[in-house]
Amino acid sequence: MKKKLSLLLALVLAFSVFVAACGGGSDDEATTDEPAVEEAVEEADEEAADEEPADEEEAADDEEPAPAGDLHIEVVSKGLQHAFWVNVQNGAQQAADDYGVTMNFDGPASESDIQDQVNMLENAITAQPDAIALAALDVQSVMTSIENAMASGIPIIGFDSGVPGAPEGSVFANASTDNHAAGGLAAEELYKVAQEEIDAATADAQVRIAVLSQDAASESIMGRTNGFIDKMIELLGEDTVAVVGQDLYATGDEATASVILSVGIPARVDNAESDATATALLEEENVIAIYSSNEFASESMIRAGEALGGILGNRAEDDSKIWACGFDAGKLQREAVENGVLFGSVTQDPVSIGYKAVELAVKAAQGEDVEDVDTGAKWYNAENLNDPDIDPLVYE
């Protein structure tokens, strides 16, 4: 655009000099050269049109976050010490650095310390930040605090599982994993390794795929469970699948289905109950595969497999084994993937969760319109575990 304007100005100046040199001739004489000028201008237009897209593309490639000025963001997470939240904090700090804002990251010692999180949120509001990013342990417990933030004009950005059920207008956007899509990713990968056996199944020779879900209360866990089930039904066909074990997910006719998805949910969220549920699932007849929906459930699945004689592994090489895939990460799960006990797992992107939460908070503080962001999920296995874009996400 600058080149176009410069050329136009040069042409106009040259034309003015020409008219002056002719001694201010008649209007007829002055217009005799207008077609030439117009032709030159048209050529300049064409040249500028050819160049502008390239210039814009270069500008887009070089684009970096614009400094946001003197802003302060408070981040209240579900935890502080677990490796997942450490990675979330790393992402949040990177965003704060990129946008040139100050940021304070806080969270309770464990995810059972609900009152501690409430106190931290109140302290964050008292600090009068320009925005708050919040991953609520229990939405009802922070409802009064959220209303206080609204009254103070402080925008809230939800992250991780967000703030479901918060008062309308209090949460401007969420930075979180699309858990339904992430569960579907696990189903796609499981189908790849077990496809031959699944496709050969009939109503008279059924195969069973176990699904271990931590609970039926967490929105994120339910999303991953539903996502896995829905994608498996999509891949296999509605008439060939029956879901049993839990009324919440039950569908299809077990008598006529060739593939049974057997869902197990422990009565309580503790290791003993979860391990017992995983064991019961693995001991059912004709089980060829099992999926678990988070780190807690995945660890129970691994322990149960070991207790039953190491039955999780590569079924293509040994049909006494059971294919197993998990969700999230952690030392036990990472080692199980490295050793082939699990053929793979789905990980969230905690670094992206933290980064996007602060980025959305900065934009909301500046009065920009913001909307929910899917922070993504990735499949990892023994082959790609040490890749630069995977390794940081598979925390220990």
Side-chain angles (χ1 to χ4, degrees), residues 8-244:
L8 286 173
L9 289 171
L11 288 168
V12 171
L13 179 60
F15 181 65
S16 299
V17 171
F18 172 77
V19 172
C22 291
S26 69
D27 291 340
D28 290 340
E29 291 175 339
T31 58
T32 55
D33 286 309
E34 284 182 5
V37 174
E38 290 173 359
E39 182 178 349
V41 171
E42 288 175 1
E43 290 177 359
D45 286 340
E46 291 174 2
E47 181 181 346
D50 289 339
E51 292 179 357
E52 282 173 7
D55 292 342
E56 290 172 2
E57 185 175 344
E58 288 176 11
D61 289 341
D62 296 336
E63 186 177 354
E64 294 181 358
D70 188 20
L71 296 180
H72 178 68
I73 309 299
E74 287 281 334
V75 181
V76 181
S77 76
K78 290 182 177 180
L80 196 59
Q81 298 177 349
H82 190 284
F84 179 87
W85 298 112
V86 171
N87 279 340
V88 171
Q89 183 175 7
N90 290 339
Q93 187 61 59
Q94 184 61 56
D97 293 344
D98 287 351
Y99 281 93
V101 303
T102 58
M103 184 273 298
N104 179 55
F105 191 100
D106 207 354
S110 78
E111 295 187 24
S112 61
D113 297 331
I114 295 175
Q115 187 55 49
D116 286 351
Q117 189 189 53
V118 174
N119 296 338
M120 291 171 181
L121 180 56
E122 280 298 325
N123 289 338
I125 295 169
T126 301
Q128 286 295 298
D130 296 284
I132 294 174
L134 171 65
L137 287 170
D138 178 78
V139 176
Q140 290 303 314
S141 70
V142 296
M143 196 66 73
T144 300
S145 299
I146 292 172
E147 292 171 352
N148 291 340
M150 287 184 69
S152 299
I154 302 172
I156 293 176
I157 297 297
F159 68 98
D160 187 46
S161 57
V163 197
E168 184 176 355
S170 61
V171 178
F172 286 46
N174 289 283
S176 60
T177 306
D178 183 336
N179 286 295
H180 191 273
L185 175 59
E188 290 174 341
E189 295 296 335
L190 191 152
Y191 181 66
K192 289 178 184 178
V193 297
Q195 180 176 0
E196 184 176 348
E197 197 167 1
I198 290 172
D199 290 349
T202 66
D204 295 326
Q206 295 173 328
V207 297
R208 191 174 293 264
I209 297 173
V211 180
L212 180 61
S213 188
Q214 174 184 286
D215 59 56
S218 167
E219 184 175 340
S220 59
I221 301 300
M222 291 176 67
R224 298 170 193 177
T225 304
N226 268 317
F228 180 87
I229 292 171
D230 290 347
K231 178 56 72 171
M232 195 60 73
I233 291 174
E234 177 187 326
L235 290 168
L236 304 181
E238 188 173 357
D239 295 337
T240 67
V241 181
V243 184
V244 302

Side-chain angles (χ1 to χ4, degrees), residues 243-254:
V243 184
V244 302
Q246 294 290 328
D247 291 342
L248 180 65
Y249 302 105
T251 187
D253 185 350
E254 186 174 4

Side-chain angles (χ1 to χ4, degrees), residues 125-395:
I125 295 169
T126 301
Q128 286 295 298
D130 296 284
I132 294 174
L134 171 65
L137 287 170
D138 178 78
V139 176
Q140 290 303 314
S141 70
V142 296
M143 196 66 73
T144 300
S145 299
I146 292 172
E147 292 171 352
N148 291 340
M150 287 184 69
S152 299
I154 302 172
I156 293 176
I157 297 297
F159 68 98
D160 187 46
S161 57
V163 197
E168 184 176 355
S170 61
V171 178
F172 286 46
N174 289 283
S176 60
T177 306
D178 183 336
N179 286 295
H180 191 273
L185 175 59
E188 290 174 341
E189 295 296 335
L190 191 152
Y191 181 66
K192 289 178 184 178
V193 297
Q195 180 176 0
E196 184 176 348
E197 197 167 1
I198 290 172
D199 290 349
T202 66
D204 295 326
Q206 295 173 328
V207 297
R208 191 174 293 264
I209 297 173
V211 180
L212 180 61
S213 188
Q214 174 184 286
D215 59 56
S218 167
E219 184 175 340
S220 59
I221 301 300
M222 291 176 67
R224 298 170 193 177
T225 304
N226 268 317
F228 180 87
I229 292 171
D230 290 347
K231 178 56 72 171
M232 195 60 73
I233 291 174
E234 177 187 326
L235 290 168
L236 304 181
E238 188 173 357
D239 295 337
T240 67
V241 181
V243 184
V244 302
Q246 294 290 328
D247 291 342
L248 180 65
Y249 302 105
T251 187
D253 185 350
E254 186 174 4
T256 60
S258 58
V259 179
I260 308 298
L261 301 183
S262 186
V263 182
I265 302 175
R268 295 188 306 277
V269 183
D270 64 44
N271 287 343
E273 286 285 345
S274 186
D275 290 4
T277 303
T279 300
L281 288 171
L282 290 170
E283 289 183 323
E284 291 182 330
E285 290 186 6
N286 304 318
V287 177
I288 65 168
I290 182 169
Y291 159 71
S292 54
S293 59
N294 70 338
E295 181 180 353
F296 178 83
S298 295
E299 291 182 349
S300 283
M301 176 180 68
I302 294 166
R303 287 192 296 266
E306 291 175 350
L308 292 172
I311 62 172
L312 303 182
N314 189 334
R315 188 174 175 84
E317 297 178 355
D318 181 352
D319 62 10
S320 69
K321 300 291 188 180
I322 293 174
W323 294 112
C325 62
F327 205 109
D328 289 329
K331 183 177 177 61
L332 184 62
Q333 190 169 182
R334 180 171 182 136
E335 290 178 349
V337 170
E338 289 175 330
N339 299 331
V341 174
L342 305 187
F343 74 91
S345 285
V346 176
T347 178
Q348 301 181 82
D349 189 338
V351 176
S352 178
I353 290 173
Y355 191 98
K356 292 298 182 182
V358 169
E359 182 176 59
L360 288 172
V362 169
K363 291 181 178 181
Q366 293 177 315
E368 295 184 35
D369 291 334
V370 292
E371 57 185 22
D372 292 353
V373 173
D374 175 16
T375 53
K378 296 183 178 180
W379 176 257
Y380 68 96
N381 54 29
E383 285 69 40
N384 72 354
L385 187 54
N386 294 314
D387 288 357
D389 62 332
I390 295 293
D391 181 64
L393 310 182
V394 187
Y395 53 83

